[in-house]
Amino acid sequence: QVQLLESGGGLVQPGGSLRLSCAASRSIYRINTMGWYRQAPGKERELAALISSSGTSNYAESVKGRFTISRDNAINTVYLQMNSLKPEDTAVYYCTAEIGLRPGDVMDSYWGQGTQVTVSS
């Protein structure tokens, strides 16, 4: 099995920045799409950003122009740079990835444990 290990969450003032990281806990044969979802209190989990293995990215309308997703395939890590943060960005942020552990394996979706981001003055 493999775990996705997230880091970088915390408390930040409105207008501030945070950078989230998510790394696989072991070597992996193949990773396709990686991304970040978020879940605010009392709300359903929603997409924040996705990035394909070739680097094509997609963003939720609410974060376009403020968040940037990137990945480093050499170390199986995905990042989310969050700028101009707003109180409504407060949520638990979850990393996800489509992973094949060994050649010939069916790709499977994995999730991190979540990291809290709180935007407040």
Side-chain angles (χ1 to χ4, degrees):
Q1 281 294 337
V2 62
Q3 290 181 306
L4 297 178
L5 305 175
E6 299 148 336
S7 61
L11 172 64
V12 64
Q13 292 186 341
S17 298
L18 282 174
R19 188 192 195 209
L20 305 182
S21 300
C22 172
S25 61
R26 49 164 280 189
S27 63
I28 291 170
Y29 172 65
R30 182 178 177 184
I31 303 182
N32 285 346
T33 299
M34 304 183 80
W36 294 90
Y37 283 70
R38 64 185 186 180
Q39 187 166 18
K43 295 188 176 182
E44 292 188 355
R45 191 174 296 189
E46 64 176 11
L47 171 70
L50 293 173
I51 186 167
S52 71
S53 56
S54 61
T56 301
S57 57
N58 289 287
Y59 298 92
E61 285 296 326
S62 58
V63 308
K64 277 184 180 178
R66 300 187 298 120
F67 290 12
T68 301
I69 190 169
S70 61
R71 63 191 285 171
D72 186 336
N73 293 329
I75 55 173
N76 297 326
T77 299
V78 63
Y79 306 96
L80 187 67
Q81 177 66 43
M82 305 184 293
N83 299 328
S84 302
L85 282 161
K86 305 175 181 180
E88 50 264 43
D89 294 317
T90 295
V92 178
Y93 284 71
Y94 297 92
C95 168
T96 184
E98 293 178 331
I99 292 173
L101 295 178
R102 293 167 294 273
D105 278 1
V106 174
M107 303 297 285
D108 220 347
S109 291
Y110 289 81
W111 291 85
Q113 79 286 355
T115 185
Q116 177 69 46
V117 171
T118 302
V119 184
S120 175
S121 54

